Amino acid sequence: MSRPERPVLVVIAHGSRDPRHAATVHALVRRVRDRRPGLRVETGFLDFTIPSVQGVLESLAAEGVRDVVALPLLLTRAFHAKSDIPTVLRQAPSRLRIRQAEVLGPSPLLTAALERRLYEAGLAPADKSRTGVVLASAGSTDPEAIAVIAEIAREWRHTGWCAVRPAFASASLPRTEDAVRELRALGCERVAVAPYVLAPGFLPDRIARGAAGADVLADVLGPAPEVARVLLERYDEARMPSLSAIGA
């Protein structure tokens, strides 16, 4: 007896006028495909970049695809996850059965990816106790999203860093440069900035400018292997809840 086909994974990215954004998203999707051979993974963008989410869904429906898992390439549940993406999915062809997966964060795997980027930027595990870290996110007006970033910073502090402070590139305070100054005043010997963002663009560039006074600036999360694992976890949770304990 043949097994039923797995739902197509449609990764929904924000999109940007900055070509580095799409290039990073595609690199991450390639890593996801490498981790799960045989799984069909498509990418759609909400703005600025093609193909659009709507275009991808219409193409899948025209091919005869029935089941789709739509996965927001987002780190927190803010406006895009709560409003924009559900609106787009409601406009999809009626023949498609679509399940919307949860956003990527929070996840211990993402925290591991943040540390990976910091070590790649020059820190060593032995530096943790004397290094203060700015957890720099894009920012949001959504209180739930802001609270999640603050909680990640609190939990991350308990893993051995001198201190961890959240910062935001837009909509919320403090800014990255303010958090860097705060950690200096606190007495941390070194200060590092860890961008909690997935791909380059306008707001990550603002984070980088705010990190001018830091000793270390990590790269964006991008196609880190831990991020690819989280994508597959969210896919499995959405397509079959009983698989959620198995992981990627």
Side-chain angles (χ1 to χ4, degrees), residues 115-133:
E115 294 210 3
R116 170 191 291 275
R117 293 302 189 223
L118 285 169
Y119 297 147
E120 290 171 349
L123 286 181
D127 298 325
K128 289 185 75 169
S129 63
R130 59 193 183 93
T131 301
V133 177

Side-chain angles (χ1 to χ4, degrees), residues 6-244:
R6 287 179 289 186
V8 174
L9 171 56
V10 176
V11 175
I12 300 179
H14 183 278
S16 172
R17 292 185 178 90
D18 188 325
R20 296 174 299 166
H21 175 90
T24 303
V25 170
H26 291 312
L28 174 58
V29 169
R30 285 194 296 272
R31 189 177 286 273
V32 170
R33 291 189 182 114
D34 289 343
R35 290 189 65 90
R36 188 70 63 84
L39 173 62
R40 182 172 178 182
V41 187
E42 301 291 343
T43 308
F45 296 87
L46 290 173
D47 290 303
F48 305 120
T49 311
I50 55 173
S52 68
V53 178
Q54 187 69 21
V56 169
L57 295 175
E58 289 175 356
S59 294
L60 290 173
E63 290 179 30
V65 170
R66 294 298 303 276
D67 292 310
V68 169
V69 169
L71 195 153
L73 197 60
L74 301 169
L75 295 172
T76 59
R77 274 182 49 79
F79 182 78
H80 290 303
K82 294 177 179 179
S83 180
D84 282 356
I85 291 175
T87 297
V88 170
L89 297 182
R90 284 194 295 269
Q91 297 169 354
S94 59
R95 69 168 285 118
L96 293 177
R97 292 190 293 258
I98 301 176
R99 282 162 280 186
Q100 182 176 334
E102 290 295 331
V103 297
L104 303 185
S107 167
L109 286 169
L110 295 178
T111 305
L114 288 167
E115 294 210 3
R116 170 191 291 275
R117 293 302 189 223
L118 285 169
Y119 297 147
E120 290 171 349
L123 286 181
D127 298 325
K128 289 185 75 169
S129 63
R130 59 193 183 93
T131 301
V133 177
V134 178
L135 179 67
S137 75
S140 173
T141 58
D142 188 298
E144 178 187 349
I146 297 303
V148 166
I149 299 300
E151 180 61 23
I152 293 170
R154 282 192 293 269
E155 292 184 359
W156 201 15
R157 162 67 181 85
H158 295 310
T159 65
W161 297 101
C162 173
V164 180
R165 294 290 186 271
F168 307 95
S170 67
S172 307
L173 296 174
R175 295 288 185 257
T176 302
E177 52 269 34
D178 300 325
V180 169
R181 285 192 290 267
E182 180 185 351
L183 291 172
R184 292 282 188 210
L186 193 63
C188 298
E189 291 183 33
R190 305 186 74 188
V191 175
V193 174
Y196 190 58
V197 292
L198 288 165
F202 176 76
L203 293 179
D205 283 349
R206 181 179 288 178
I207 290 171
R209 290 193 297 271
D215 300 296
V216 173
L217 170 62
D219 199 357
V220 298
L221 294 173
E226 297 87 353
V227 180
R229 286 181 60 192
V230 176
L231 259 73
L232 289 169
E233 284 187 358
R234 297 293 181 256
Y235 170 79
D236 287 337
E237 291 163 1
R239 76 184 180 99
M240 193 177 298
S242 62
L243 289 179
S244 60

